Amino acid sequence: MQQNKHLIAGNWVGGEGRFANDPVDGSRDWFAQGRPEHVNAAVEAAEQAFESYGATPRSRRADFLRAIAKEIETRAEETTLTGSRETGLPGPRLEGERGRTVNQFLMFADHIEKGD
């Protein structure tokens, strides 16, 4: 992950940012800040990806969701620390949200494979 950038269509873009105060300890940190052109580029990339992704076999889509869940767990500590700095929420709350999110990815992967 490149700090202070956005991953859009496989490319790191941006680099603009702003200082923000950590809501827990008041220290200042630098966070990437998206602009309208970043949002538009991300939406366009998602629309393009939908065409090809929607045509993939169910098993491949399920594998993709499981890979996302695994990557979220791989980055668990980093994500919790960053989330706490950005929001002020305590680590256990964010860990619970991460677990819920991972479980939803895994349940949806199973759902896709079953063809329900």
Side-chain angles (χ1 to χ4, degrees):
M1 181 172 76
Q2 291 195 20
Q3 194 171 18
N4 301 322
K5 293 193 180 243
H6 307 280
L7 182 62
I8 300 173
N11 299 305
W12 290 102
V13 298
E16 301 79 15
R18 64 180 177 85
F19 283 105
N21 290 331
D22 183 310
V24 175
D25 66 14
S27 64
R28 292 179 61 80
D29 206 345
W30 185 260
F31 294 101
Q33 184 172 358
R35 296 189 318 255
E37 55 266 28
H38 294 134
V39 174
N40 291 336
V43 169
E44 288 175 22
E47 288 176 344
Q48 291 173 4
F50 179 78
E51 298 284 327
S52 60
Y53 182 76
T56 61
R58 288 181 183 176
S59 61
R60 187 166 176 204
R61 284 182 267 159
D63 289 345
F64 180 61
L65 292 176
R66 289 186 183 105
I68 293 170
K70 183 178 179 181
E71 190 66 24
I72 289 170
E73 288 296 339
T74 298
R75 297 173 182 261
E77 186 175 334
E78 175 187 1
T79 302
T80 298
L81 291 173
T82 301
S84 289
R85 278 192 356 252
E86 290 180 353
T87 66
L89 292 172
R93 163 72 188 277
L94 294 172
E95 290 163 4
E97 291 297 327
R98 183 182 64 247
R100 180 187 58 76
T101 300
V102 166
N103 285 332
Q104 287 177 331
F105 274 107
L106 297 175
M107 288 171 39
F108 194 55
D110 291 343
H111 178 75
I112 288 172
E113 279 186 327
K114 290 177 186 173
D116 296 340

